[in-house]
Amino acid sequence: MAAKGTTESVYRVIDVVGTSKNSWEDAAKNAVETATKSLRDLRIAEVRKMDLKIENGKVVAYRTRLELSFKYEA
């Protein structure tokens, strides 16, 4: 049971993939910054997977898959 004065909330979780030519960290940051343009009240980002795009034996992109959660508005 919720404590007096608190409200219960509902959150949605979605997958997003960010990319970067520099690092997995930049890829994650790009994903979050892009998501905030269309989603409000982002709460948590959890890294689920990181991989690389390789062309001709060279790394050309870092990709980070995130689970993002955001609060539904009441």
Side-chain angles (χ1 to χ4, degrees):
M1 184 174 245
K4 189 174 184 177
T6 63
T7 59
E8 295 179 6
S9 301
V10 175
Y11 296 87
R12 168 118 188 188
V13 178
I14 61 169
D15 285 337
V16 296
V17 178
T19 62
S20 169
K21 292 181 180 181
N22 302 314
S23 69
W24 285 299
E25 291 85 0
D26 284 349
K29 183 178 175 183
N30 291 340
V32 170
E33 288 176 352
T34 300
T36 60
K37 293 177 183 176
S38 59
L39 301 172
R40 290 188 299 244
D41 210 6
L42 292 178
R43 295 298 178 108
I44 302 291
E46 182 178 339
V47 174
R48 302 302 289 168
K49 183 178 178 182
M50 295 182 291
D51 59 33
L52 302 167
K53 183 176 180 185
I54 302 168
E55 291 179 2
N56 299 320
K58 295 185 180 184
V59 174
V60 296
Y62 296 84
R63 300 187 323 171
T64 303
R65 179 182 298 237
L66 303 170
E67 279 187 352
L68 290 179
S69 68
F70 58 95
K71 187 175 177 182
Y72 275 114
E73 294 182 2

